[in-house]
Amino acid sequence: MQGVGTRQHLLEIIGLLASETDVEAAARILLERLLAATGAERGFVVVREADCHVDVFNVAFDRAAVSTEERRFSRRLVRQVAESREAIYSASAASDPRFIGVDSIASLGPRAVLVVPLCEREAVHGVVYFDSRRPIDDAARGWVTELAGLTAPLLRRAVAEDALRRRARSLEHDLLAQFDFAGIVTRDPQMLSVLRTTAQVADATATVLIRGETGTGKELVARALHVNSSRRERPFVALHCAALSETVLESELFGHVRGAFTGADRDRAGRIASARGGALFLDEIGEISLGVQAKLLRFLQSGEIQRVGSDRPEQVEVRVVCATNRDLVAMVKDGRFREDLYYRIQVIELALPPLRERSEDRELLVEHFLARFARDKGGALRLTAAARAALVAYSYPGNARELEHALERMTLLATTPELGVELLPQAIRPGVAAGAALRDYSSAELRAARAAAVAEVESRFVDGLLQKSDGNVSAAARMAGMPRGYLQKLIARRRSR
């Protein structure tokens, strides 16, 4: 048999798949092991979707990338195996008398083809499809058939999860393509739900309350409400209410007339009037005093403002969006926030999840900020595997803003394009946060740490082999006892990091 395929290897693979929580990763591991066992060059898991067959997982060891042409397979063979529930093997499919006149098989040329059904009880979920320029021996074919039967339930789950992910990506693409969410980087289901609601209510006039911790992107969502509305050509005016005294805040909001107080040497329109016809964003609305709350409520109810020092009311039409990181319900109970104002600003409420609950987004944000700082610095930047794993695993009490600042610090302190763990803030360095306090890690964080560790080991392994073999890939593969094509894939993967 080419490669591996003993009973011991079979047990090892089943154990490996049983311990793998990421079913897509498990499916790819399975394909890689099966390719190694058969000596085949390409492998697909093929399923039926609507009226066609598609490959949902594919592996080609001797390719750095798999093109559309390279992913061609015979749908006739796939259909026949799925209907008969019997494996098909041909040492040279194009010249096999069974398939004379079948264009999809003739186009394969003189290649060996093995197609095995994925059966679970009475159901056929799909097929495993291999082809090769060399024949696949009897022992390897038997081993593949046995393993396909044992792992059919796992592959069914992998296919189902892949379909859900592709559906989610399609919805995500449609949403992000149709609306302007500049600066917002996400793939998180909670955050995408917020963005869908944002798009839905963008053109309404109702007041919006955005809740979320500091650094979660409340102002970005407020701007998205504005730019996706018919008011987009009108002003977007922001006022950060924290740290402003009652007098200053009232003047900032409503404006004042000349001589209204010491230093008022000219008329001032105020933020509400400046936003006329557009949007007014009041950040940290939980910080304003009860006196200003009463005047703001009066404006929201009547649409009228009265500048400080003036006795003449003025009508202003503006869309108001508020944001807070405080628990306004608790503040209402404590008498620190007006109940009537709370219900007036909470017509539509958007709750932004913290970054610690957006595990998939941490890696996206790392890439987003890294690319931005690389542009600013005028050159390429790359993270070591260990630094990337630490950045993705950290919980970020300061949310996306803290992640942004951590990467900015790294780029400022770096003396080379490579950013290592020594440049990370102390709290994010591996071992520091864990030593300070124990916490539960999500499966996504575990996968990220595992992937980083594997990448580090693979890189050292490949470098060592190539050094010993003076760069001869065939000699290096013989030293390692692995197929040359598999080593080529490891080399390509290392170069792409």
Side-chain angles (χ1 to χ4, degrees):
M1 182 190 301
Q2 300 106 317
V4 296
T6 64
R7 174 65 56 177
Q8 181 60 36
H9 282 110
L10 180 62
L11 294 174
E12 286 176 3
I13 290 176
I14 292 172
L16 180 63
L17 297 181
S19 65
E20 179 58 68
T21 57
D22 185 334
V23 290
E24 182 177 351
R28 297 192 188 283
I29 290 170
L30 174 62
L31 275 182
E32 289 178 0
R33 294 302 180 91
L34 290 176
L35 277 175
T38 60
E41 294 155 355
R42 306 187 307 160
F44 306 116
V45 173
V46 180
V47 300
R48 185 178 180 84
E49 287 189 359
D51 295 326
C52 62
H53 290 89
V54 297
D55 74 272
V56 289
F57 300 112
N58 60 76
V59 179
F61 278 171
D62 58 351
R63 305 286 194 272
V66 183
S67 68
T68 302
E69 182 66 23
E70 290 169 325
R71 287 166 60 170
R72 290 178 61 189
F73 57 87
S74 170
R75 285 164 175 78
R76 164 73 177 271
L77 287 178
V78 169
R79 186 166 55 251
Q80 186 171 330
V81 168
E83 290 172 355
S84 68
R85 299 166 58 88
E86 296 289 336
I88 287 179
Y89 172 69
S90 178
S92 180
S95 59
D96 193 317
R98 293 175 294 174
F99 310 122
I100 296 297
V102 180
D103 292 342
S104 65
I105 296 176
S107 67
L108 295 175
R111 300 180 71 86
V113 177
L114 173 63
V115 188
V116 180
L118 295 170
C119 301
E120 186 181 7
R121 297 187 180 90
E122 300 303 315
V124 178
H125 303 303
V127 305
V128 185
Y129 183 109
F130 298 104
D131 68 21
S132 174
R133 282 167 290 194
R134 298 186 301 275
I136 301 171
D137 65 34
D138 292 342
R141 299 201 302 271
W143 191 73
V144 168
T145 303
E146 183 178 4
L147 191 57
L150 289 170
T151 58
L154 179 139
L155 288 171
R156 172 179 54 77
R157 287 174 52 218
V159 168
E161 290 199 10
D162 180 73
L164 286 174
R165 271 192 294 272
R166 284 186 288 122
R167 171 65 176 158
R169 283 196 295 269
S170 175
L171 292 173
E172 170 193 336
H173 178 269
D174 290 346
L175 177 69
L176 299 181
Q178 188 175 353
F179 298 95
D180 185 352
F181 294 115
I184 301 175
V185 178
T186 188
R187 189 176 291 159
D188 177 73
Q190 293 182 82
M191 197 65 186
L192 288 172
S193 177
V194 169
L195 297 188
R196 277 191 286 273
T197 304
T198 300
Q200 185 177 349
V201 303
D203 222 19
T205 58
T207 308
V208 177
L209 175 64
I210 305 173
R211 291 191 298 106
E213 296 177 7
T214 299
T216 49
K218 296 187 291 294
E219 184 165 349
L220 289 174
V221 172
R223 289 184 181 276
L225 280 165
H226 181 61
V227 299
N228 290 294
S229 75
S230 56
R231 299 169 179 263
R232 67 181 66 87
E233 301 301 326
R234 304 296 298 164
F236 175 89
V237 177
L239 176 61
H240 300 275
C241 302
L244 293 179
S245 68
E246 181 172 348
T247 303
V248 172
L249 180 58
E250 183 180 355
S251 174
E252 284 290 326
L253 274 174
F254 303 105
H256 60 257
V257 297
R258 182 179 178 184
F261 49 83
T262 303
D265 54 356
R266 59 185 175 86
D267 289 354
R268 183 173 183 181
R271 302 297 178 95
I272 294 175
S274 298
R276 189 187 306 271
L280 173 69
F281 175 56
L282 300 178
D283 196 11
E284 304 306 347
I285 194 166
E287 306 299 325
I288 67 178
S289 67
L290 290 170
V292 177
Q293 287 179 36
K295 294 175 181 177
L296 178 60
L297 175 63
R298 201 157 49 242
F299 162 67
L300 292 173
Q301 290 172 334
S302 67
E304 286 186 350
I305 61 170
Q306 193 166 318
R307 301 187 192 189
V308 177
S310 171
D311 56 5
R312 184 170 60 87
E314 181 182 346
Q315 196 76 26
V316 178
E317 194 281 321
V318 66
R319 204 283 178 77
V320 177
V321 180
C322 304
T324 185
N325 63 4
R326 306 285 294 273
D327 184 347
L328 295 186
V329 174
M331 292 181 68
V332 168
K333 290 179 180 177
D334 293 342
R336 291 178 292 137
F337 199 86
R338 292 182 63 108
E339 185 176 24
D340 46 6
L341 177 59
Y342 172 70
Y343 289 117
R344 189 66 184 77
I345 64 175
Q346 190 234 4
V347 178
I348 298 166
E349 186 171 313
L350 301 174
L352 306 191
L355 191 54
R356 63 180 170 275
E357 295 178 9
R358 295 163 54 191
S359 54
E360 287 191 54
D361 283 354
R362 289 200 285 272
E363 191 156 7
L364 286 177
L365 285 164
V366 165
E367 291 302 323
H368 171 73
F369 292 133
L370 188 65
R372 195 180 80 197
F373 292 133
R375 287 195 301 271
D376 293 345
K377 203 164 185 175
L381 295 172
R382 62 181 180 274
L383 291 161
T384 64
R388 182 181 299 278
L391 283 163
V392 172
Y394 186 60
S395 61
Y396 296 100
N399 293 293
R401 192 173 299 153
E402 183 182 5
L403 171 54
E404 179 183 10
H405 292 166
L407 276 164
E408 183 177 20
R409 166 202 164 99
M410 295 178 79
T411 59
L412 291 173
L413 295 179
T415 55
T416 69
E418 186 168 85
L419 311 180
V421 291
E422 70 281 357
L423 299 174
L424 288 168
Q426 194 71 19
I428 303 178
R429 292 183 190 178
V432 174
L438 295 175
R439 68 182 185 86
D440 293 330
Y441 286 84
S442 70
S443 60
E445 291 170 341
L446 180 61
R447 287 198 300 274
R450 181 190 296 145
V454 169
E456 198 87 21
V457 171
E458 277 186 1
S459 294
R460 290 202 300 268
F461 174 72
V462 169
D463 288 344
L465 274 179
L466 293 177
Q467 189 173 3
K468 288 178 185 176
S469 66
D470 294 325
N472 187 311
V473 176
S474 296
R478 285 194 297 272
M479 287 180 193
M482 64 172 57
R484 183 177 183 276
Y486 183 42
L487 179 57
Q488 285 179 318
K489 183 181 180 182
L490 293 179
I491 293 170
R493 195 154 62 197
R494 176 188 172 280
R495 287 172 179 165
S496 68
R497 289 184 182 120

